[in-house]
Amino acid sequence: MKVLLIAEDDQTINALVPVIKKSGAEIIVYRWLLKALDNVEEIAPDMAIISTAEYPRHWKTFVQFTKSGIGGVVPKVILYNSRPMNDDEKSKARSLGVFGMFGSLDAKGLEELENYLAGKKDEAFGFVSNGPKFELVFTNPKNECLVTGLVKSVSESRIEFASDIPDLVKNLCAGDTIERATFGENKVYKHISAKVLSNGARLELKLT
């Protein structure tokens, strides 16, 4: 098994590396999440462990990108939360299909990590939904940035989309065409294109 560890703090790295090595896994450490994202296809990890306190927004981008399958690999993602997540963040992690999370570097936290490395998932962490979950990943045609987020509503071929990082889509205008997009329903993905209908509190798109 190959494990990608993404963290900046030396204390975090020094605590987690021995546990990962003990599991028999090959380990690769990146201190820059976006650099890891650029190279994830080449690395092809079976599991990725991300320190969320150091990347409070970009961990979501990493998870959505890898879950989309665009990078050619879909690793199990474990979140290390040195700062407790609020309920909204936990819900977001569950909806993104995160495999698990732990919140400390003490014996209890490291034991939780060992269990995840052994393939044991805490079923209580699994996301349960009474309806479909829609996701969208696309490249902004004006700045070539990767945009990830959740579809808030679907009506025929129209959708309302909320970006994880709103600044990445604020330059889109009605009439703009998005040629490269991946649309997911309950983790089943297909490639689509879309046209921007409006860009206000949310981005309204028509799938084409």
Side-chain angles (χ1 to χ4, degrees):
M1 180 170 71
K2 185 185 294 184
V3 175
L4 171 62
L5 172 61
I6 307 173
E8 292 183 15
D9 181 65
D10 287 334
Q11 182 180 357
T12 300
I13 294 171
N14 293 337
L16 298 184
V17 166
V19 177
I20 298 168
K21 287 184 175 179
K22 182 181 176 182
S23 74
E26 176 187 353
I27 181 171
I28 298 170
V29 179
Y30 270 72
R31 293 178 182 267
W32 298 99
L33 186 145
L34 294 180
K35 184 66 174 177
L37 187 62
D38 286 341
N39 295 330
V40 70
E41 184 174 3
E42 180 182 349
I43 299 167
D46 300 290
M47 180 177 288
I49 302 169
I50 305 173
S51 177
T52 58
E54 296 162 85
Y55 316 101
R57 291 191 300 176
H58 290 109
W59 70 262
K60 302 180 188 75
T61 301
F62 182 94
V63 175
Q64 287 191 299
F65 179 80
T66 56
K67 289 294 181 183
S68 74
I70 294 174
V73 60
V74 185
K76 296 176 180 177
V77 177
I78 309 297
L79 303 180
Y80 164 53
N81 306 317
S82 60
R83 299 173 187 168
M85 279 187 168
N86 60 39
D87 289 342
D88 287 343
E89 290 174 317
K90 289 179 181 178
S91 177
K92 178 70 173 179
R94 292 186 180 98
S95 69
L96 290 174
V98 167
F99 189 76
M101 60 173 64
F102 63 104
S104 70
L105 299 178
D106 59 15
K108 182 178 182 295
L110 296 181
E111 181 180 2
E112 290 176 335
L113 175 58
E114 287 178 344
N115 287 334
Y116 292 136
L117 289 165
K120 300 175 184 177
K121 181 174 182 177
D122 182 0
E123 293 303 323
F125 181 73
F127 181 74
V128 178
S129 173
N130 294 323
K133 280 289 173 180
F134 300 98
E135 300 168 80
L136 188 65
V137 180
F138 63 89
T139 300
N140 184 322
K142 291 186 173 179
N143 57 21
E144 293 299 312
C145 289
L146 180 71
V147 178
T148 63
L150 292 180
V151 175
K152 296 300 184 180
S153 68
V154 180
S155 177
E156 296 181 348
S157 62
R158 296 190 178 197
I159 64 174
E160 287 188 358
F161 172 75
S163 172
D164 289 326
I165 306 177
D167 283 351
L168 296 184
V169 297
K170 66 181 182 180
N171 62 347
L172 292 176
C173 303
D176 288 340
T177 299
I178 297 169
E179 298 290 351
R180 296 175 288 172
T182 301
F183 182 69
E185 179 181 351
N186 288 338
K187 305 304 177 184
V188 177
Y189 298 94
K190 60 182 179 181
H191 298 293
I192 62 165
S193 58
K195 179 174 288 187
V196 178
L197 297 178
S198 65
N199 190 1
R202 292 176 180 169
L203 190 65
E204 185 179 2
L205 302 170
K206 181 177 182 180
L207 304 186
T208 59

